[in-house]
Amino acid sequence: MKKTISQATIDRLPLYFRTLQLVESEKTSIISSDELGKRLDITPEQIRKDLATFGQFGRKGIGYDVHELKNKISNILGLHNRWRLAIVGVGHLGGALANYVNFASLGFSVVALFDKDKKIIGTEVNGIKVNAVSSMKKIIDKRAVDIGVITVPATEAQEVADKLIAAGVKGIWNFAPIKLSVPSEIPLVNEDLSIGLSALSYHMSQD
Amino acid sequence: MKKTISQATIDRLPLYFRTLQLVESEKTSIISSDELGKRLDITPEQIRKDLATFGQFGRKGIGYDVHELKNKISNILGLHNRWRLAIVGVGHLGGALANYVNFASLGFSVVALFDKDKKIIGTEVNGIKVNAVSSMKKIIDKRAVDIGVITVPATEAQEVADKLIAAGVKGIWNFAPIKLSVPSEIPLVNEDLSIGLSALSYHMSQD
């Protein structure tokens, strides 16, 4: 399947996935787009349109098979890969991410932590020991890390990205407020916590 | 101005704002959409289209007045309100947000922290003392808090939202993975750190 899917649809898929997980845990085997919509505050039309992008699911007047749909979304998002993460920069944000429980339910696991601060190296966060940045290549290789998470200051982010890629990660999740240069074959997602807050400010300013 | 602006455009405005701040600090007074696009990795056409939504800016062949454009975007986003935030739930994520430096550059400030854990109440994060949830109403009123930030577990989030709204906040920024019920006049933005990571997983799974 090489069809292009809109970013907005991709962003809704994890929400569907998590809701389906919950519904499955409640022993419900069939769900309608109406019910899924009610749980997520998304219109049933939007849900049907999103899911139709990937082929024919669900039966008219009956609904979607919860287990089948959940697995299909997992496959589309690549969650079955059970990606392994390394976080570089174990400050407040890096520490918060190392402890973020939602990742596990989507199949992600944090397997390595790095920092350059001698006071932090050797400490443990959520059962994982913090290693020196200098040992990045060896540890990323040994622990089969797939994704590098960058939570260092903006001034250090490009150097860290270069090191992560040289060490063999296949994707970068960047929290530093800077545009990183990475090879085109390495997917990069930038996260900026100020964007949601600015959107809230915008909505609060309308009357 | 009561024109509806797309969420995607609203999400790009803080990026423009921050880049213009940087450009202004470099003593540059005029910038072209080409140059702005290069810095942000957004096409100049997209930038011109986004900015045209708000009226006529820039002069053909010359560019945008950096100071004027920055202020205009600040006004559109409501950043001139210099919103005051209270964070409820001072765990890893709440602590990271209390320390997140990017907020200040956009005019947001964290002025209150709340938790229900007796071990955390009375400690300080980034110079702000953590107060008991039971004193929320009094402190939110006294410190003129505008925005309530929810970083408690999903099971406690609705109760916290109700308390924040009763205490007088005008907007909610929610990090708990649950759909909250709030009155229609209270803007709500949900943040989910798993979404960006799932998008990265999706891109890494395409070949």
Side-chain angles (χ1 to χ4, degrees):
Chain A
M1 186 187 63
K2 287 296 295 169
K3 211 153 130 189
T4 306
I5 300 167
S6 82
Q7 190 59 51
T9 299
I10 294 167
D11 286 353
R12 280 189 292 269
L13 291 182
L15 305 177
Y16 297 157
F17 180 79
R18 215 153 38 203
T19 304
L20 290 165
Q21 266 188 327
L22 185 68
V23 169
E24 196 179 26
S25 75
E26 294 164 359
K27 313 278 179 217
T28 302
S29 56
I30 301 283
I31 192 165
S32 65
S33 50
D34 272 30
E35 172 63 22
L36 201 50
K38 232 178 268 168
R39 287 189 182 236
L40 281 161
D41 209 10
I42 298 175
T43 66
E45 292 74 24
Q46 181 68 66
I47 291 173
R48 288 195 293 268
K49 194 172 159 230
D50 283 344
L51 300 181
T53 319
F54 315 116
Q56 212 48 324
F57 290 114
R59 275 163 298 169
K60 217 171 172 122
I62 299 178
Y64 299 101
D65 181 300
V66 173
H67 183 74
E68 185 193 338
L69 184 56
K70 191 197 77 172
N71 285 345
K72 180 71 187 173
I73 293 175
S74 167
N75 280 331
I76 292 163
L77 288 176
L79 301 179
H80 56 287
N81 287 296
R82 307 196 70 75
W83 304 110
R84 297 162 69 83
L85 276 58
I87 298 173
V88 188
V90 190
H92 296 280
L93 185 58
L97 292 176
N99 280 286
Y100 198 62
V101 290
N102 282 353
F103 295 156
S105 69
L106 292 172
F108 299 101
S109 54
V110 177
V111 298
L113 301 173
F114 298 99
D115 206 287
K116 63 168 195 176
D117 184 342
K118 280 181 188 161
K119 287 196 293 288
I120 295 176
I121 295 165
T123 62
E124 276 194 11
V125 181
N126 209 8
I128 305 160
K129 201 170 169 181
V130 180
N131 284 286
V133 170
S134 56
S135 60
M136 200 186 274
K137 184 146 180 49
K138 201 181 70 186
I139 289 172
I140 281 183
D141 190 50
K142 204 167 154 190
R143 299 195 191 159
V145 170
D146 304 294
I147 295 174
V149 185
I150 300 179
T151 50
V152 298
T155 48
E156 298 164 30
Q158 184 64 56
E159 195 190 331
V160 165
D162 295 344
K163 278 186 185 163
L164 281 165
I165 292 165
V169 303
K170 294 167 221 145
I172 298 275
W173 195 26
N174 174 42
F175 283 80
I178 190 174
K179 182 189 146 197
L180 297 176
S181 297
V182 299
S184 61
E185 70 273 19
I186 304 285
L188 164 70
V189 167
N190 293 297
E191 202 74 33
D192 186 339
L193 296 179
S194 316
I195 290 177
L197 189 50
S198 300
L200 181 59
S201 171
Y202 170 78
H203 292 296
M204 288 169 69
S205 307
Q206 312 299 305
D207 30 77
Chain B
M1 184 188 66
K2 286 296 294 169
K3 211 153 127 189
T4 306
I5 300 166
S6 81
Q7 189 60 50
T9 299
I10 294 167
D11 286 353
R12 280 188 292 268
L13 291 181
L15 304 178
Y16 297 156
F17 180 81
R18 214 152 40 201
T19 304
L20 291 165
Q21 267 188 327
L22 185 69
V23 169
E24 196 178 26
S25 74
E26 294 164 2
K27 314 278 181 216
T28 302
S29 56
I30 302 283
I31 193 165
S32 65
S33 49
D34 272 29
E35 172 62 21
L36 201 50
K38 234 177 266 168
R39 287 189 182 235
L40 282 161
D41 209 10
I42 297 176
T43 67
E45 292 74 27
Q46 181 69 65
I47 290 173
R48 289 195 293 269
K49 195 175 160 224
D50 283 345
L51 300 180
T53 319
F54 315 117
Q56 213 48 323
F57 292 113
R59 275 163 300 170
K60 218 172 172 121
I62 299 177
Y64 299 100
D65 181 299
V66 172
H67 183 74
E68 186 194 338
L69 184 57
K70 191 198 79 173
N71 284 346
K72 180 72 187 174
I73 292 175
S74 167
N75 281 331
I76 292 163
L77 287 176
L79 302 179
H80 56 287
N81 288 295
R82 308 196 70 76
W83 304 111
R84 298 162 67 83
L85 276 58
I87 298 172
V88 187
V90 191
H92 296 279
L93 184 59
L97 292 175
N99 280 286
Y100 197 61
V101 292
N102 282 352
F103 295 155
S105 69
L106 292 172
F108 300 100
S109 54
V110 177
V111 298
L113 301 173
F114 298 100
D115 207 287
K116 62 168 197 178
D117 185 341
K118 281 182 186 158
K119 288 196 294 286
I120 296 176
I121 295 165
T123 61
E124 275 194 12
V125 181
N126 208 7
I128 306 160
K129 200 169 166 180
V130 180
N131 284 286
V133 169
S134 55
S135 60
M136 200 187 276
K137 184 147 181 47
K138 202 181 71 188
I139 290 172
I140 282 184
D141 190 49
K142 204 166 154 190
R143 300 196 190 159
V145 170
D146 303 295
I147 294 173
V149 185
I150 300 179
T151 49
V152 298
T155 48
E156 298 164 29
Q158 183 63 55
E159 196 191 331
V160 165
D162 295 345
K163 279 186 182 160
L164 282 165
I165 293 164
V169 304
K170 295 168 222 142
I172 298 274
W173 195 26
N174 174 42
F175 283 80
I178 189 174
K179 182 189 146 196
L180 296 176
S181 296
V182 299
S184 61
E185 69 273 18
I186 303 285
L188 163 70
V189 167
N190 294 298
E191 202 75 32
D192 187 338
L193 297 179
S194 316
I195 290 177
L197 189 51
S198 299
L200 181 59
S201 171
Y202 170 78
H203 293 296
M204 288 169 70
S205 308
Q206 312 299 304
D207 32 76

